[in-house]
Amino acid sequence: MKLAIIGGTGKQGTALAKRFARAGVDVIIGSRDATRAQVRADELNAMTGISTIVGMSNYDATANGDVVIVSVPYEGMTPVLADIREAAQGKIVISMASALDPERKSRAKVPAEGSITAEIQQFLGERTKVVAAFQNISPDNLDSHAPIESDVLVCGADRTTRDQVIALIAHIGIRAIDAGVLANAVAVETLTAVLITVNIKHKIKGAGIRITGL
């Protein structure tokens, strides 16, 4: 299985790329600049001591990936989605974006379509299966070698698709939980603002969530 990470040169994308690569997943880093993506891939291979991370343009990464993670801030997402739309058809696309007020990240701001994940689904079309995941785990935790105690909530698409994403996330040692249909994605996306507020109020980093009773 090949995993494409669009926006893979950023902090979140880089953290995920390393974690998946260490778990034996072939990772493709996507960037608007294919050369920049390959340079970053070479750096990550050197950091991890492996050679399975490659860099490509966003379009080529999407075309060559079996599953696509979009690790791009909401404010700059539209041109990226336009670039990869054709290549994403028939694939699972995972959105990591959180619905935050750009002027104050500790406040939630719900997009017009109800959630960012819903916007992406509408933009890419029904042939692409879009889910929300990873919104509530900090890049620092993803980049750590320590076990991750937080859960990942997975919303969107259909149950079979969510099960596939949950299995993929379990491959990197993180418990993922089916949190339901696309309409629930707004809760996952806006919860990030709550966690940021907790971090600020308690002077900590990487606040997360854990579902009890399972």
Side-chain angles (χ1 to χ4, degrees):
M1 199 275 288
K2 292 183 179 180
L3 176 67
I5 303 178
I6 307 306
T9 59
K11 189 172 183 180
Q12 281 187 311
T14 292
L16 273 179
K18 288 192 287 186
R19 200 167 191 98
F20 275 107
R22 289 191 185 110
V25 177
D26 291 335
V27 174
I28 308 168
I29 286 179
S31 173
R32 287 175 294 180
D33 184 337
T35 301
R36 182 185 177 199
Q38 187 57 56
V39 168
R40 190 59 175 148
D42 291 341
E43 292 171 350
L44 296 182
N45 284 326
M47 289 179 195
T48 56
I50 51 185
S51 58
T52 56
I53 305 173
V54 298
M56 298 181 183
S57 68
N58 284 331
Y59 181 90
D60 288 341
T62 303
N64 284 278
D66 300 304
V67 175
V68 181
I69 296 178
V70 178
S71 178
V72 178
Y74 176 58
E75 294 77 17
M77 189 176 286
T78 299
V80 174
L81 293 177
D83 187 21
I84 69 171
R85 177 161 48 185
E86 180 182 348
Q89 297 306 302
K91 302 192 177 188
I92 296 173
V93 173
I94 301 171
S95 168
M96 296 179 65
S98 295
L100 307 175
D101 187 330
E103 296 183 1
R104 190 168 182 179
K105 301 292 186 181
S106 59
R107 291 181 178 175
K109 185 175 182 179
V110 180
E113 296 299 329
S115 71
I116 296 170
T117 310
E119 280 196 20
I120 296 172
Q121 182 66 76
Q122 183 176 11
F123 188 87
L124 295 180
E126 61 183 15
R127 288 184 56 213
T128 304
K129 297 183 177 182
V130 183
V131 300
F134 293 113
Q135 278 79 4
N136 309 136
I137 294 185
S138 74
D140 290 335
N141 286 345
L142 286 172
D143 204 22
S144 171
H145 287 277
I148 291 180
E149 298 178 350
S150 301
D151 292 328
V152 169
L153 301 179
V154 178
C155 299
D158 53 79
R159 184 175 297 177
T160 299
T161 300
R162 295 195 299 271
D163 284 346
Q164 289 177 281
V165 173
I166 287 167
L168 176 64
I169 295 170
H171 200 63
I172 56 173
I174 302 175
R175 187 173 74 161
I177 296 172
D178 189 335
V181 297
L182 182 62
N184 293 353
V186 63
V188 176
E189 294 174 2
T190 54
L191 181 58
T192 305
V194 175
L195 297 176
I196 291 171
T197 299
V198 171
N199 285 336
I200 294 169
K201 295 291 185 182
H202 295 275
K203 297 181 173 59
I204 61 173
K205 289 184 177 181
I209 59 167
R210 185 78 174 173
I211 304 300
T212 62
L214 297 180

